[in-house]
Amino acid sequence: MSYVALIFAPLVFSGFLYLFTKKSPLAKYIVLGYFVFLFVETLFLYLQLPQNGYLMLGKFLEVKEFGFILTLEIDRLSSVMLLLTSLLLILVTLSSWSMQKESAYFSLLLFFSGAIFGVFMSTNLMWFFIFWELTLIPMYFLVGIWGGDGRVYAALKFFLYTHVASMFILLAFFLIFKQTATFDMTQIQESMLVTPTLIWWLLFVGFAVKMPLFPFHTWLPDAHVEASAPISVLLAGVLLKMGAYAMIRFVILMLPQEAHKYAFVLLGAGILSLLYAGVMALYETHLKKMVAYSSISHMGLVAIGMATLSYEGLSAALFEMIGHAFIIAPLFLIAGFFHYKTQSWQMQDLGGIMQKAPYISALFVLAGLGALGLPATMGFVGEITIFLSALDTYGAWVAFIAFGAMIGSGYIIWTLRRVIYGPMSQKVQESNFSISWVEFFALAVFGIAIVAFGVYPQALFDAINEVFSAYNLGGAM
Amino acid sequence: MSPFVFLFGMALLSFGVRNVKILQPLSIVVVIAAFGVSLMHTATPLVGFETPSSFILFELVLFVVTIATLLHLEQTIAITQTLFLVATALLVLESNTLVSFVIAFESLSIVSFILVSFIRTKKEAQGAIKMFISGSVATAIIVLGVALYLLEGHSLLEAVSLEVKGFGSVGIWLILFGVFYKLTIVPMHTWAADSYAEISPANSAILSGIAKTVVFVATFKTFAPFLEKNTTFSEPILLVLALVTITLGNFLALFSKEITKILSYSSIAHAGYMLLAFVSVKSAYAQNALLYMAIAYIFMQTALFLLVDKLSDSKGELYLEDLKALGKKDKLSALFFSVQLFSLAGIPLLAGFLAKAVMVYALVDVNLVFVALFVLLNSALSVGYYASIVRYFYFEDATKENKINPISLKVYFAQAIFLAGTLFFGVFAGVVFEF
């Protein structure tokens, strides 16, 4: 089998799935089966990786004059992302098991999987960009069709905002091609560039929007709040990770010298995101918006980890990225579940859910504690490792991280107090919190992962540490 | 035999065949034959007309688009006019001297006047007259330009001279500006915004899709060497024209409510994108960029106008409101419509993206980096209106009894051809670069 099929087969078959599985529930089984296959396949690829450098998966569609070749290569960084993505895709499929208009929904998920695999597998900048932009199309529809009341506005804003930002990226790639005569990211060295500073800034702005970092984050709260819960998981777990992945790959690893020069920008954006989004979350009485801001706040932490530009810091940032995906996902799913049952997002309408739905509430508490960084959860490991590596590099500036962590525990504890515990509200009293076992299974997997990698992070760090060992980061700061 | 002879012969013959059930397949077979001749390079060119091999691909695309267009038409008169128009367009495309270019161009104008003269409503009459008047003005300007060019002793029987003396270059610029009327470059665009929206959408498809694109390619072919020699003068002028055209087209489209109006403005904006190839003419990528844009554009624009023609009611009107929940009522039409719109918006894996990408790269190639950024941002903002059309298909429920005409199987097939073109050129860029 040619690996290019992992990208194009889903893109093509999603159309057929949409047109031909109108009335039957076949679509979700096909898609689930495919995602399981995808996970196994990526695991298999991961085991084949060489110690350093890239595993070549093939070259396609060569256009010599324009350096435009669909080169599929993966290294450790991209295969970690592929594993995370394919696992999340399975869990997202399970959590949307009872979704309306299923043939359209699941064919869009299938389409999305093709595009996102393209992002992580292609090392040609043009094709990377093509798949990067292509992920917008399924997300636009997924937010716009299955979202809440403001879905149309949110979907358009998401589409426009991130599309405009991508133009900076495209221009940067064009400048790179003009100056190096290649789009192959494995060939490009910083020393070959004539205007590395301009390119760095263009890339930084483009990727900062996707991550998102303050002040480029405003599209995310809207999209997160209006999207249905599984789509929020996809946004937080895959799309934001795509931004962070690109930030590491291009802004830091490809342009290490510029990154050293402007690390303070990344650090500043990270700290501002952490604090600003934290304070916003503290203010919020809308449950899902609170989760959305906490998501942005954690991405700020990831950016701080990157800004250290050390092996430890980058590893910690990657760990936090994975941890963030596992922690935010159940928060979104359970928040969505509460809304589905009570028809309310407002925290004052909720309260005392623990008494009616103990298992789900326990998972929500667990994920919440993960988000605030309680020891023995993934959140703690991510936070502490970022903290320590930032302490090495920046010294006193880490006080801000500590302050952010404090705000974080503030909003989580306060939310738990209002939503899960406390006196039972009228709405909760009237609602019935039954959940299908499929959806509960997906939630339980997240819960297990949060604790398992929290207690034994070494399992994940073994894999992550190897990611960056192959790169020269231009000396420690 | 030249493909032109096939098309022109068939156009003449079509006067004798009054049954559309015979004429349509017959003319499609003839266009396929022309396609074959063009593909084999066996054509013996007419004097003054010859297609360089790099333009053959565009000619082939033109035939494919013609076939798909013919499949949409239901009246013999429409088929006859289309055949005449494509035959004349072929002449414009193949012209390799200034005189053959001017003559073919004027013939194309006349044929397009005849095309829109088939008037059914007052609105169509308005559109046709606007087009006729501005077309006549353009002709007058072109004739003046030719006169000035001759005055300095240049020969019309050759390609445009690279060493133009005195008033000769004023002449060339006048010819260019006359042609820009047809190419809907701001400020010569005003007629198009109205005409394309007022004449029947099928005619708009042929004029703004086929005729305009062909004239663009032919103009580039004829004048690129001249412009390349004179970039110090031509670059700033054309740059301003292109940027104003793109920006104005996009902004006016943003505020329109009628589909044909939006498509007209989008057509104007795309004229701006194509004009960028004239700006970056020094770059080795300029010619491929223009060809790519032309190929992408001819598929998208023709497909969309034809689809609108089929969906709209007897009065030929189609508002955004009418398209609510199209995704539910007519899955395939909605799919064709959305894909072509996304292609216009420049979303990847569709021809529109790669076309814009190569076009913008040509700008970067001649060191117009910030112009490139401006164009990219402009194009990104245009997603605002394209995506919000798509929004009506899928995100909204039908509020009233929308009057959407049912679409025949034949039209689906024709639209599938357009779709295949948009997808093919969105993935296989090598075909354009290496043909």
Side-chain angles (χ1 to χ4, degrees), chain A residues 28 32 35 87-100 105-106 109 228-234 329-330 332-334 336-337 340 435-446:
Chain A
K28 57 185 174 191
L32 180 65
F35 287 163
L87 183 62
L88 278 177
L89 281 172
I90 297 175
L91 295 173
V92 164
T93 310
L94 290 176
S95 352
S96 14
W97 208 242
S98 45
M99 199 55 87
Q100 300 288 311
Y105 182 87
F106 289 103
L109 274 189
S228 65
I231 300 310
S232 295
V233 174
L234 215 54
F332 271 125
L333 289 173
I334 297 174
F337 173 73
Y340 178 64
I435 186 169
S436 77
W437 69 269
V438 181
E439 286 163 89
F440 190 75
F441 172 75
L443 286 175
V445 172
F446 286 120

Side-chain angles (χ1 to χ4, degrees), chain B residues 133-173:
Chain B
I133 293 174
S134 69
S136 319
V137 173
T139 304
I141 295 175
I142 290 174
V143 170
L144 181 60
V146 170
L148 283 176
Y149 185 72
L150 281 175
L151 199 66
E152 293 288 345
H154 299 292
S155 165
L156 279 181
L157 295 173
E158 295 159 10
V160 178
S161 164
L162 294 182
E163 308 292 333
V164 188
K165 289 172 280 180
F167 276 110
S169 61
V170 178
I172 296 288
W173 279 100

Side-chain angles (χ1 to χ4, degrees), chain A residues 355-388:
Chain A
Q355 298 160 45
K356 294 233 12 179
Y359 295 113
I360 303 208
S361 302
L363 274 172
F364 191 80
V365 173
L366 173 66
L369 294 178
L372 71 78
L374 189 80
T377 62
M378 283 184 95
F380 171 73
V381 181
E383 219 164 287
I384 195 75
T385 45
I386 289 178
F387 188 87
L388 289 176

Side-chain angles (χ1 to χ4, degrees), chain A residues 86-260:
Chain A
S86 49
L87 183 62
L88 278 177
L89 281 172
I90 297 175
L91 295 173
V92 164
T93 310
L94 290 176
S95 352
S96 14
W97 208 242
S98 45
M99 199 55 87
Q100 300 288 311
K101 302 182 196 163
E102 49 186 77
S103 76
Y105 182 87
F106 289 103
S107 35
L108 283 168
L109 274 189
L110 190 62
F111 190 94
F112 181 78
S113 80
I116 193 82
F117 263 63
V119 172
F120 293 132
M121 285 167 80
S122 49
T123 49
N124 184 285
L125 296 184
M126 270 308 272
W127 278 101
F128 170 86
F129 183 82
I130 285 182
F131 294 124
W132 174 276
E133 281 304 282
L134 199 62
T135 55
L136 290 183
I137 299 292
M139 286 316 279
Y140 175 63
F141 288 111
L142 285 167
V143 174
I145 300 180
W146 287 272
D149 296 332
R151 65 206 153 85
V152 177
Y153 168 77
L156 262 176
K157 183 170 176 183
F158 157 71
F159 196 171
L160 258 179
Y161 207 116
T162 52
H163 185 63
V164 168
S166 300
M167 295 303 126
F168 293 98
I169 303 171
L170 184 60
L171 185 64
F173 287 174
F174 281 162
L175 285 171
I176 290 173
F177 182 67
K178 166 96 167 121
Q179 292 163 18
T180 66
T182 177
F183 275 128
D184 187 345
M185 67 165 94
T186 60
Q187 307 286 321
I188 295 162
Q189 303 287 325
E190 194 173 13
S191 53
M192 295 153 78
L193 299 174
V194 184
T195 58
T197 308
L198 177 63
I199 293 172
W200 191 89
W201 277 97
L202 288 170
L203 289 174
F204 174 75
V205 171
F207 295 135
V209 169
K210 204 62 150 216
M211 244 180 99
L213 291 177
F214 182 85
F216 305 113
H217 65 283
T218 57
W219 62 274
L220 187 67
D222 284 309
H224 258 334
V225 169
E226 296 304 334
S228 65
I231 300 310
S232 295
V233 174
L234 215 54
L235 274 170
V238 181
L239 221 65
L240 307 194
K241 297 298 142 23
M242 199 171 94
Y245 161 82
M247 193 71 107
I248 294 180
R249 172 132 268 166
F250 296 104
V251 174
I252 293 174
L253 296 182
M254 201 171 80
L255 303 168
Q257 279 160 31
E258 290 301 310
H260 273 290

